[in-house]
């Protein structure tokens, strides 16, 4: 039986992908006044954090290049003229396959503790098990989903 956590991960990701479905490359790269990033950065950041929190902290290999990591890790921001930036279509494709990979890898491993050590979020929440990391991904993606929705409203 599928765990409720995977149902929620699929639900949240479906909503994120639906929100990104009509975003053009041009729109994805516009930065609204008063902000430091764009829709593309938020989408890539969602992907990167779920890779890190799912795979890295479980001792598994992440599906993210060093360049992708530099582009979308916490604290990074889009830089005009940067080379090798994935398109919004490429990021949507990565996002569309990620939850299935996470479920296949971790459906029987939710209670495992991180072999690379726990992690404390910027707001002080301690994460230690696969289940805790995946659960936090729901919150994290929800925050960036709302930012994507806001940016679309501001820019369209």
């Amino acid at each position: 039986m599928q765990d409720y956590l995977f149902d929620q991960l699929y639900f949240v990701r479906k909503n994120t992908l639906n929100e990104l479905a009509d975003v053009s490359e041009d729109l994805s790269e516009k930065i609204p006044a008063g902000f430091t990033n764009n829709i593309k950065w938020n989408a890539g950041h969602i992907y990167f954090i779920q890779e890190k929190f799912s795979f890295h902290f479980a001792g598994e290999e992440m599906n993210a290049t060093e360049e992708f990591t530099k582009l979308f890790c916490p604290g990074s921001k889009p830089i005009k003229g940067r080379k090798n930036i994935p398109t919004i279509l490429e990021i949507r494709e990565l996002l569309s396959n990620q939850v299935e990979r996470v479920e296949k890898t971790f459906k029987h491993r939710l209670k495992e503790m991180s072999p690379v050590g726990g992690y404390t979020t910027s707001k002080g929440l301690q994460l230690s098990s696969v289940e805790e990391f995946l659960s936090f991904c729901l919150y994290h993606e929800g925050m960036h989903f709302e930012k994507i929705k806001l940016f679309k409203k501001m820019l369209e």
Side-chain angles (χ1 to χ4, degrees):
M1 184 170 117
Q2 183 168 306
D3 190 274
Y4 76 93
L5 183 53
F6 296 112
D7 291 339
Q8 291 179 359
L9 288 167
Y10 281 113
F11 173 80
V12 170
R13 184 55 53 87
K14 178 182 173 191
N15 282 285
T16 298
L17 289 168
N18 285 343
E19 197 63 36
L20 291 170
D22 63 347
V23 173
S24 68
E25 188 66 23
D26 183 55
L27 181 64
S28 79
E29 293 182 342
K30 290 181 180 174
I31 299 175
F35 292 90
T36 59
N37 55 43
N38 54 32
I39 291 171
K40 182 186 284 188
W41 184 89
N42 279 276
H45 181 70
I46 289 169
Y47 177 82
F48 170 74
I49 291 298
Q50 188 144 339
E51 280 297 302
K52 185 165 185 164
F53 280 23
S54 301
F55 296 97
H56 169 76
F57 284 107
E60 300 284 341
E61 188 173 333
M62 290 174 41
N63 182 30
T65 64
E66 187 176 323
E67 183 64 25
F68 194 96
T69 298
K70 287 178 187 174
L71 290 169
F72 300 109
C73 68
S76 65
K77 56 185 171 186
I79 298 171
K80 287 270 187 207
R82 205 174 211 172
K83 303 255 189 273
N84 301 325
I85 299 173
T87 66
I88 192 66
L89 183 61
E90 290 168 331
I91 293 171
R92 284 195 312 246
E93 185 65 28
L94 289 169
L95 287 167
S96 70
N97 298 314
Q98 189 178 39
V99 175
E100 185 178 351
R101 285 180 32 249
V102 168
E103 182 183 26
K104 283 181 179 178
T105 305
F106 299 110
K107 65 182 170 186
H108 301 297
R109 298 172 56 187
L110 291 175
K111 300 300 181 193
E112 275 184 26
M113 300 306 280
S114 172
V116 297
Y119 177 81
T120 303
T121 68
S122 62
K123 299 297 181 192
L125 179 64
Q126 178 65 36
L127 306 172
S128 300
S129 70
V130 169
E131 185 174 38
E132 290 169 355
F133 279 101
L134 293 179
S135 182
F136 185 78
C137 286
L138 295 167
Y139 167 76
H140 180 265
E141 186 161 341
M143 288 190 317
H144 289 280
F145 168 80
E146 284 301 319
K147 187 88 54 103
I148 290 167
K149 282 176 53 177
L150 173 67
F151 286 6
K152 281 179 68 177
K153 279 186 182 177
M154 292 176 76
L155 296 169
E156 289 181 328

